[in-house]
Amino acid sequence: SYIPGRCATSYLPMGTRITVRDLASGRTIHCVVTDRQAVSSGRVVDLSETQFSLLAPLWRGVVRVKVSW
């Protein structure tokens, strides 16, 4: 069975299943909100290194994404 990764947001309830799409490559991943991130970070979702590496090379650090749930 498929187990989505974990991620953090400041605006969605814990346990929310989300889809994150890299706007540049079109790649998508699925994750479950299991943590909180700072509201003032200016970012919409924080991914684990494993999840991020499925979207883009780790050296990019930050990518533009679309989040849906």
Side-chain angles (χ1 to χ4, degrees):
S1 68
Y2 174 75
I3 300 173
R6 297 178 184 185
C7 55
T9 72
S10 62
Y11 58 94
L12 291 172
M14 297 285 198
T16 303
R17 291 177 171 256
I18 66 175
T19 300
V20 181
R21 182 170 56 91
D22 181 345
L23 295 177
S25 70
R27 292 184 185 126
T28 62
I29 57 105
H30 303 281
C31 60
V32 175
V33 177
T34 59
D35 201 1
R36 289 278 166 242
Q37 72 181 37
V39 174
S40 63
S41 72
R43 301 198 172 119
V44 296
V45 65
D46 187 21
L47 304 174
S48 67
E49 284 186 5
T50 302
Q51 290 297 105
F52 187 90
S53 69
L54 296 173
L55 290 180
L58 290 177
W59 61 263
R60 288 192 52 203
V62 176
V63 294
R64 292 180 50 93
V65 298
K66 178 179 181 181
V67 176
S68 56
W69 60 95

